[in-house]
Amino acid sequence: MTREEAPGARDVAVVAFAQTDHRRTSEELSEVEMLMPVLHEVMASTGLRTADIGFTCSGSSDYLAGRAFSFTLALDGVGAWPPISESHVEMDGAWALYEAWVKLRTGDADTALVYSYGKSSPGSVRDVLTRQLDPYYLAPLWPDSVALAALQAQALIDAGATDEPALAAVGARSRADAAGNPHAQLRGAVPQGEYLVRPLRTGDCPPIGDGAAAVVLAAGERARDLCERPAWIRGIDHRIEAHGIGVRDLTDSPSTRIAAERAGALERPVDTAELHAPFSSQEVVLRRALGLDETVRVNPSGGALAANPIMAAGLVRIGEAAARIHRGESDRALAHATSGPCLQQNLVAVLEGDPR
Amino acid sequence: MSKEPVAVVGVGQTKHVAARRDVSIAGLVREAARRALDDAELSWADIEAVVIGKAPDFFEGVMMPELYLADALGAVGKPMMRVHTAGSVGGSTALVAASLVAARVHGTVLTLAFEKQSESNAMWGLSLPIPFQQPLLAGAGGFFAPHVRAYMRRSGAPDTVGSLVAYKNRRNALKNPYAHLHEHDITLEKVQASPMLWDPIRYSETCPSSDGAVAMVLTDRAGAARAPRPAAWMHGGAMRSEPTLFAGKDSVSPRAGRDCAADVYRQAGITDPRREIDAVEMYVPFSWYEPMWLENLGFAAEGEGWKLTESGVTELDGDLPVDMSGGVLSTNPIGASGMIRFAEAALQVRGLAGEHQVEGARRVLGHAYGGGSQFFSMWLVGAEPPAS
């Protein structure tokens, strides 16, 4: 649906991307203080000012901040005066980008600022994430995010889809690639470590950290004005699956496959894929669902195994894929974001640069 | 590219009450969604995407509840989005859903908002005890009472106006089977004799805490042509935000509200809202906000809003009825309250508002606001499709 071009549909592109250095803790900074440099950077790279932006959309979670309406303070940082056209999703920033993309497609705006942020350091993120499970039957048992991912990993091993050495290789490759990413939290030779929850070792799991990201979108000629080589969003779609772990085949990700089909990702090969796979085993699931082979450069940024700022990590994937197109390192890239336990909800975007 | 016209062809809500102990959160939202589908005579399979809103997650203690609600709302295998813009969220959620249709991304979308406040205590959920904010604000009333006093001082409004609004809205609620408060023995004297909570806001001039959900089916021109009952057509919709606290903020009549209304009127071709709009479902959680928003939305000149209220213009049988359903003052499942305003506006122009129907309502405004009067969302719906 989302890639079938309506007559005269507007092309929308990612024209700028910025992110923080992702860190284990940023306790000396408020969320707003963490976010502000990123907003300034992304705006400066386009030369736009707040008043030039047609629509603003953000993603974050009150539960990470530990207080209701936490996003309202970030808005003050954006500088919403005179008043701006603005919205917020209680989701990863990738979905804020989706909302902004829709807004630009309606023609109501030509440019959009999208940002998201999350600080996991103030609490125990494994415990916090249990609160997003079914509140009557599942959450009272406090199954944490690593334990649920371990169930998924074991299901994959039992199905013969992977084994522990293969998972270790995913971790090692991700951290090695992250050596070239100054923003990554875990870089270079990182030991695979002890079991955290069998069969997952610490090296199969994402670092816990704080971070923020921001993207500027623009439609049509406006994109070319703002960026030498815009990353055109050729298709974008997202799908959700059942919540109950017990009713899903954890070795598969049908929602990713549907989203990829609808986004047009499967029509022609991509050269790059930025996958939001916080656990090494989830990269295995996503590669299978997307049919990615060894010719595709997967997570050259290091991916979520190198930095996983919750609520921003999905937007970072889109930003990293777009930045490779901006730099001429990719012509057609896939970006993926996930939400919920064991890849419950997935978003796929296809980004392309103009032919060279 | 011109936008696809957006039509409301299904509206459903729950009977709002203080505590729905008989249903889970999933059961509550499904009830409203099912009623919206029944109104549109559609099945779950006809829905292409779901856009859900509520605010904030701490009210039920479930982080990102849309994940758990995917099954209950028939969203498995479909796109599902979760909007959160504080008290304006119900309106914003409907506008995000409308954009999906307007941009021709989807043909038919289910949008829904809910709050199950009995799972927590909204008073403390709305108190924000972090450094550098005023301590002991004690809920929304504590935040808004100074702004009401500022309005009274600025406009010279007599202190009786707030009770008139509460008395009117509570009587309107008696005609709405879904309203939370059905105070059959309400009198103006009872409102005026109710305890003072946050001077000048009395107990009977405040909203209740409700459990409830509301849903709408939005569709394109083709979908509207197939609909069994009249559609409400969206003629304009907008959101505006401004910072919570800054030196230049006018808390009595925030510029974001004025700009938002102006954008909606521009889209809808409205030049004289007082004459061209037939009725308003306005977000009035404390009764004094009716006269305040009448001015902010351009229905009255500055300082004159209370005169419309006092002269009976905003009564159900008045020249510009406001909150025909009983409004937020009678029903307040916070995350749903904005969308209820939007949905009630749609019911009015569809002629399906029952006992609280305004005769001949052709163009009705739905209005929501949130945060510290910093987030606004509005739509104007009409009985006729917009001129293309």
Side-chain angles (χ1 to χ4, degrees), chain B residues 14-212:
Chain B
T14 58
K15 164 73 177 98
H16 307 284
V17 294
R20 276 295 298 274
R21 301 207 192 282
D22 61 318
V23 289
S24 63
I25 298 168
L28 183 77
V29 297
R30 189 164 172 102
E31 201 174 288
R34 186 63 260 178
R35 286 176 184 161
L37 289 173
D38 287 347
D39 183 12
E41 292 183 17
L42 294 176
S43 71
W44 295 104
D46 297 312
I47 299 299
E48 294 173 23
V50 178
V51 184
I52 185 170
K54 72 166 284 350
D57 289 8
F58 282 104
F59 281 1
E60 288 83 9
V62 188
M63 179 185 184
M64 302 163 75
E66 71 280 3
L67 295 167
Y68 134 75
L69 292 171
D71 305 64
L73 291 174
V76 172
K78 298 174 186 177
M80 184 172 192
M81 286 188 70
R82 159 72 193 290
V83 179
H84 177 12
T85 64
S88 66
V89 65
S92 307
T93 305
L95 292 178
V96 173
S99 286
L100 287 169
V101 175
R104 299 190 178 88
V105 173
H106 296 295
T108 301
V109 177
L110 175 71
T111 186
L112 182 140
F114 76 96
E115 204 76 70
K116 202 161 187 298
Q117 286 187 226
S118 64
E119 310 257 340
S120 73
N121 183 320
M123 173 87 161
W124 297 113
L126 289 172
S127 302
L128 308 173
I130 65 160
F132 315 119
Q133 294 210 325
Q134 306 93 315
L136 291 176
L137 274 175
F143 184 86
F144 290 118
H147 307 154
V148 171
R149 285 199 297 274
Y151 173 72
M152 294 169 75
R153 191 168 59 245
R154 205 192 276 186
S155 69
D159 59 11
T160 50
V161 172
S163 50
L164 292 174
V165 176
Y167 178 51
K168 165 185 67 96
N169 285 14
R170 295 281 161 78
R171 278 181 291 132
N172 288 351
L174 292 171
K175 299 176 185 296
N176 174 7
Y178 295 106
H180 175 176
L181 295 184
H182 281 159
E183 297 180 333
H184 293 280
D185 55 352
I186 187 81
T187 64
L188 184 57
E189 291 69 32
K190 280 188 179 178
V191 174
Q192 289 167 339
S194 67
M196 189 64 82
L197 288 188
W198 301 278
D199 194 357
I201 300 173
R202 293 181 180 279
Y203 177 78
S204 291
E205 295 168 0
T206 69
C207 49
S209 276
S210 315
D211 283 0

Side-chain angles (χ1 to χ4, degrees), chain A residues 1 84 86 88 108 240 345, chain B residues 3 67 77 80 84 105 241:
Chain A
M1 179 61 65
I84 58 173
E86 188 264 349
H88 173 262
D108 287 344
I240 196 165
Q345 187 174 21
Chain B
K3 284 190 282 187
L67 295 167
M80 184 172 192
H84 177 12
V105 173
S241 309

Side-chain angles (χ1 to χ4, degrees), chain A:
Chain A
M1 179 61 65
T2 48
R3 73 187 165 78
E4 287 157 5
E5 299 295 319
R10 314 173 91 201
D11 285 328
V12 174
V14 177
V15 297
F17 167 58
Q19 61 183 318
T20 54
D21 292 343
H22 306 291
R23 297 190 286 153
R24 177 62 187 88
T25 179
S26 58
E27 62 187 20
E28 75 283 11
L29 299 175
S30 70
E31 287 176 328
V32 184
E33 288 166 329
M34 183 175 73
L35 175 65
M36 287 308 294
V38 174
L39 292 178
H40 287 305
E41 185 185 336
V42 80
M43 297 292 280
S45 68
T46 58
L48 293 171
R49 294 166 307 146
T50 304
D52 303 323
I53 294 288
F55 183 63
T56 300
C57 197
S58 60
S60 68
S61 167
D62 281 351
Y63 257 76
L64 289 181
R67 66 185 292 273
F69 309 120
S70 62
F71 62 93
T72 61
L73 296 175
L75 182 68
D76 290 11
V78 170
W81 190 261
I84 58 173
S85 173
E86 188 264 349
S87 183
H88 173 262
V89 297
E90 192 81 356
M91 306 178 79
D92 187 286
W95 277 266
L97 182 142
Y98 182 84
E99 182 180 330
W101 173 80
V102 172
K103 185 78 172 175
L104 265 54
R105 295 275 283 201
T106 66
D108 287 344
D110 294 329
T111 53
L113 170 66
V114 178
Y115 63 90
S116 65
Y117 56 89
K119 289 180 69 159
S120 298
S121 62
S124 162
V125 73
R126 285 170 72 175
D127 291 334
V128 169
L129 289 176
T130 66
R131 303 300 89 193
Q132 66 177 204
L133 303 171
D134 179 318
Y136 306 98
Y137 296 108
L138 202 50
L141 304 174
W142 295 85
D144 72 53
S145 49
V146 180
L148 292 171
L151 281 175
Q152 187 169 33
Q154 189 61 51
L156 279 169
I157 292 172
D158 291 349
T162 191
D163 54 28
E164 290 191 36
L167 295 181
V170 170
R173 191 210 71 232
S174 298
R175 272 87 187 224
D177 282 344
N181 176 0
H183 302 288
Q185 185 176 334
L186 284 186
R187 287 182 279 170
V190 177
Q192 191 63 5
E194 299 300 315
Y195 286 115
L196 198 55
V197 180
R198 272 180 197 271
L200 296 179
R201 296 172 183 269
T202 51
D204 294 304
C205 302
I208 294 169
D210 303 348
V215 156
V216 174
L217 299 181
E221 283 309 306
R222 200 84 175 84
R224 291 183 211 281
D225 296 342
L226 296 171
C227 179
E228 203 169 314
R229 191 169 194 250
W232 300 104
I233 300 173
R234 293 301 182 207
I236 183 167
D237 194 275
H238 59 97
R239 301 280 151 167
I240 196 165
E241 292 176 38
H243 183 65
I245 304 292
V247 301
R248 286 164 51 193
D249 174 0
L250 295 180
T251 67
D252 194 10
S253 183
S255 57
T256 299
R257 191 178 305 109
I258 300 170
E261 282 168 4
R262 297 295 181 134
L266 309 180
E267 287 170 3
R268 285 189 293 118
V270 296
D271 55 48
T272 302
E274 278 285 344
L275 305 180
H276 184 193
F279 297 91
S280 60
S281 43
Q282 293 180 341
E283 184 181 303
V284 177
V285 176
L286 293 169
R287 276 178 178 270
R288 281 156 55 98
L290 294 166
L292 299 179
D293 60 26
E294 297 307 314
T295 64
V296 180
R297 185 87 168 88
V298 172
N299 287 344
S301 67
L305 282 168
N308 188 40
I310 294 181
M311 311 313 288
L315 183 61
V316 169
R317 303 279 75 72
I318 298 174
E320 289 280 7
R324 277 178 74 81
I325 288 170
H326 296 161
R327 294 193 299 262
E329 294 164 8
S330 169
D331 293 319
R332 179 174 160 88
L334 181 152
H336 160 268
T338 195
S339 177
C342 299
L343 303 172
Q344 186 194 346
Q345 187 174 21
N346 295 283
L347 177 146
V348 173
V350 178
L351 305 172
E352 283 184 359
D354 286 325
R356 288 179 290 184

Side-chain angles (χ1 to χ4, degrees), chain B residues 222-285:
Chain B
R226 289 192 297 268
R229 276 176 272 280
W233 294 91
M234 181 173 157
H235 288 230
M239 300 184 220
R240 285 293 185 282
S241 309
E242 67 181 42
T244 327
L245 302 166
F246 73 108
K249 185 173 173 98
D250 182 348
S251 292
V252 171
S253 186
R255 180 168 164 190
R258 284 184 272 130
D259 287 2
C260 189
D263 191 359
V264 171
Y265 300 156
R266 179 189 56 76
Q267 293 171 41
I270 300 269
T271 53
D272 183 352
R274 175 75 178 82
R275 287 184 197 288
E276 296 172 76
I277 293 174
D278 299 320
V280 186
E281 277 285 341
M282 191 187 279
Y283 201 107
V284 178

